[in-house]
Amino acid sequence: MLDLSGRAYVIAEAGTCHAARDPSHRLSAALDLVLAASNAGADAVKFQIFTPAIRDDMFCWIDGDERRAPRWLDSALSLEEWAGVKARADDLGIDFLASVFQHRTVGWLKNIRVKATKVASRAARNFPYEDATGDILVSNGMWEGPIKAPPGRKVYRLQCESKYPSHFPWQALRPGFSAHSPTPDLAIDAIKRGCKLVECHFYIDPSQAGPDLPASLDLAGLAAVCAARDACDASPRSNAHQNKGIAA
């Protein structure tokens, strides 16, 4: 389970930045992204997980996915390889999270013992929530309807725009915010105004980012978001608020 009781929780969204035509390059790229997210100060690193049987096993296929599928295929890793990426994140003290879009990979998250399941907005309507692992983080860009989560599970909804990049600032009616932007300004503003769960796409090299480039931060931008989180956490106002909560 995630701890969102204190400072803002920053998710560094690596997505499919590890994608490569040569399968032998993907694992090392994923491990590099974990290290980069950790060095930037993120609380979690998140990937998108796909397996080759995309069309037959995917529960959220939409128009245009035939153009997107080649990159998804170029990002495929085995369950054992993802377990290795998760182990590397554990070693670095950063949480490993993933968005999944296929019935098979929903089960993979239970295998590698994630703290939470991330549900992308495109998957929110048809996601098999009964099979989700840990807390459930749902982006709302393409679905605002009810979430049929298992009893006792925490569900956090993230404000999200389905078109990249994002233009609208965070609204307090949502506990979380997917700041799909090439600059850190929206994420920093959300953190300063009390948002507790912020997700930002990032890349090491812009050539990695693929179609997410217009909505992604470079490493300096990601580090700036994490620095803003730390500054808010250390501010007298923030400490007073936390102390008040402890006393209560």
Side-chain angles (χ1 to χ4, degrees):
M1 303 296 178
L2 301 180
D3 182 5
L4 303 184
S5 61
R7 68 181 191 175
Y9 185 90
V10 176
I11 301 173
E13 162 73 90
T16 58
C17 281
H18 62 290
R21 288 291 179 88
D22 185 340
S24 67
H25 294 169
R26 298 171 194 168
L27 178 58
S28 61
L31 294 171
D32 288 345
L33 287 158
V34 173
L35 179 60
S38 176
N39 287 342
D43 298 286
V45 60
K46 185 176 80 69
F47 292 87
Q48 296 173 14
I49 294 181
F50 296 93
T51 67
I54 292 174
R55 185 64 181 91
D56 295 335
D57 193 36
M58 196 170 186
F59 46 76
C60 56
W61 187 271
I62 61 176
D63 289 344
D65 281 351
E66 62 280 355
R67 299 190 304 273
R68 303 177 186 103
R71 180 172 177 87
W72 297 341
L73 290 170
D74 284 347
S75 73
L77 293 171
S78 68
L79 171 57
E80 291 73 21
E81 288 172 317
W82 281 121
V85 178
K86 166 49 161 72
R88 178 60 170 153
D90 290 345
D91 289 343
L92 292 170
I94 186 171
D95 291 335
F96 174 92
L97 301 176
S99 295
V100 288
F101 310 86
Q102 298 167 259
H103 292 284
R104 184 182 184 191
T105 52
V106 171
W108 282 13
L109 297 187
K110 184 172 293 186
N111 266 280
I112 58 180
R113 299 181 180 181
V114 297
K115 291 183 178 180
T117 296
K118 178 61 172 62
V119 180
S121 65
R122 60 175 289 145
R125 182 171 186 168
N126 297 318
F127 197 90
Y129 291 99
E130 66 278 4
D131 297 324
T133 300
D135 295 334
I136 302 173
L137 315 179
V138 186
S139 291
N140 70 346
M142 298 175 70
W143 175 247
E144 288 278 7
I147 302 300
K148 297 179 180 179
R153 295 291 182 83
K154 292 183 179 179
V155 177
Y156 300 98
R157 300 197 75 152
L158 286 77
Q159 177 185 323
C160 171
E161 291 179 60
S162 58
K163 292 184 178 180
Y164 289 176
S166 295
H167 295 94
F168 299 105
W170 172 71
Q171 301 297 318
L173 70 158
R174 298 295 185 195
F177 182 44
S178 289
H180 297 149
S181 173
T183 68
D185 303 345
L186 287 175
I188 291 172
D189 174 69
I191 290 170
K192 287 182 176 179
R193 292 193 293 118
C195 184
K196 288 298 186 181
L197 180 61
V198 177
E199 178 183 72
C200 301
H201 281 273
F202 83 101
Y203 57 81
I204 297 174
D205 185 301
S207 65
Q208 294 178 315
D212 288 334
L213 180 61
S216 299
L217 300 175
D218 60 15
L219 292 178
L222 178 60
V225 172
C226 296
R229 172 208 60 202
D230 295 344
C232 287
D233 187 50
S235 70
R237 179 180 178 183
S238 174
N239 289 335
H241 175 76
Q242 290 176 16
N243 291 337
K244 181 179 179 181
I246 292 171

